[in-house]
Amino acid sequence: MRRLFWLAMGLGAGVTSAVLMNRWMRQQAQRMAPASLARQAGELGRDVVSLVGAAAQAFRQGASEREEELRDGHRR
């Protein structure tokens, strides 16, 4: 009886592991599909463009503030 119990437990664990591994492998294959990679690259590109735009805007604002400070300094 004990052997039958442990045999059933081992088979159940093996089947469960196989099903979970199969699901994980499918998810990884889907994640690495060309369409998915292209979508991820597009999102990354938009993020980079957004960050560069924000940095350029901050630079222009800082430069105009500094230019204004310099002009005020020369007038005194």
Side-chain angles (χ1 to χ4, degrees):
M1 197 66 172
R2 285 184 183 166
R3 288 182 185 179
L4 185 60
F5 171 78
W6 288 112
L7 176 66
M9 290 294 289
L11 288 173
V15 167
T16 302
S17 298
V19 168
L20 292 175
M21 184 58 72
N22 189 10
R23 287 182 185 173
W24 182 81
M25 291 293 288
R26 283 186 184 177
Q27 288 174 349
Q28 297 305 313
Q30 194 174 40
R31 191 171 66 97
M32 298 306 263
S36 186
L37 290 176
R39 181 178 34 82
Q40 290 174 2
E43 290 172 359
L44 178 64
R46 282 190 296 274
D47 290 345
V48 167
V49 167
S50 175
L51 288 173
V52 169
Q57 182 180 3
F59 174 79
R60 285 190 300 268
Q61 182 180 359
S64 67
E65 288 174 1
R66 180 65 179 145
E67 184 177 344
E68 193 174 313
E69 287 174 6
L70 291 173
R71 285 184 183 168
D72 287 345
H74 285 294
R75 289 182 186 161
R76 290 184 184 171

